[in-house]
Amino acid sequence: MKLSELNSGEKAYIVSISGDSGISRRLLDIGLIPGTKVECVLVSPSQNPKAYMIRGAVIAVRNEDALGVDIKI
């Protein structure tokens, strides 16, 4: 399952991050590392971006970037 598929209120754990090395590095820098718990807390009216609670901070991630993040519920 991909991070972009998570709906508001759902929680999951990061399994892996793939894709463009620049985006992957930025996602790792904001705390999206394997094993991290993440919760979708807000979805914009257009469904893009979505806001996620990651290690105590709310971070907005575009769906095209979230497609490179594998999760498990």
Side-chain angles (χ1 to χ4, degrees):
M1 186 173 186
K2 301 293 184 180
L3 182 61
S4 60
E5 299 173 45
L6 212 57
N7 295 313
S8 186
E10 293 182 329
K11 299 175 185 176
Y13 290 90
I14 305 299
V15 175
S16 65
I17 296 179
S18 60
D20 179 280
S21 62
I23 296 300
S24 296
R25 182 77 231 167
R26 176 167 267 165
L27 293 174
L28 289 167
D29 288 345
I30 64 172
L32 284 174
I33 59 174
T36 300
K37 184 178 178 181
V38 61
E39 177 183 359
C40 182
V41 294
L42 185 65
V43 179
S44 69
S46 66
Q47 303 296 310
N48 191 22
K50 293 181 180 178
Y52 302 93
M53 177 70 71
I54 304 164
R55 298 179 177 262
V58 177
I59 306 290
V61 179
R62 296 178 298 179
N63 288 339
E64 52 268 24
D65 296 336
L67 283 172
V69 180
D70 294 315
I71 60 170
K72 67 177 179 178
I73 295 187

